[in-house]
Amino acid sequence: MAIVGVWETKLYAGTIGTTETFTKQHNFAAPGLDVWSRPYLQSLTINDDDASVILSVSKFTDKNGTHTGPFTPGIFGDGCTSVTFKMSTRDCIATAVLTTEIFG
């Protein structure tokens, strides 16, 4: 299979003095697409010496049903209709690039 398309979005979020989780979703019309999805860390601003950021795919739905992660570094979905990305931050501000490559 060849890559026939790419969809990228950005997730910019962060925390100061606490930990929080943020999500963003890529959705595809039924019957779905064959995809490879994964998040990348693009930038990080540290607010304290215990700062951290964790990226993953937390959930995806394909022709076999819904699968709950975390999945790192990402997933390959056959007939995928949705991919949920997750970013957890502690004492930092981060930008993640959420990439889905479409196969055909």
Side-chain angles (χ1 to χ4, degrees), residues 21-93:
T21 299
F22 308 91
T23 62
K24 194 162 193 175
Q25 197 169 35
H26 288 181
N27 294 301
F28 315 102
L33 300 171
D34 296 341
V35 301
W36 180 21
S37 296
R38 61 212 179 279
Y40 296 95
L41 184 62
Q42 185 177 43
S43 67
L44 176 65
T45 303
I46 296 172
N47 298 319
D48 202 346
D49 61 355
D50 65 346
S52 66
V53 61
I54 300 171
L55 300 171
S56 67
V57 171
S58 62
K59 180 173 68 171
F60 71 100
T61 302
D62 65 7
K63 68 179 185 178
N64 296 315
T66 300
H67 312 277
T68 303
F71 301 99
T72 56
I75 60 98
F76 180 82
D78 186 18
C80 195
T81 55
S82 72
V83 178
T84 303
F85 298 90
K86 182 171 91 171
M87 179 169 71
S88 297
T89 64
R90 178 174 52 180
D91 288 327
C92 67
I93 299 169

Side-chain angles (χ1 to χ4, degrees), residues 2-20:
I3 296 171
V4 297
V6 176
W7 183 17
E8 285 190 323
T9 57
K10 177 173 80 169
L11 178 55
Y12 174 77
T15 53
I16 298 174
T18 189
T19 302
E20 187 64 54

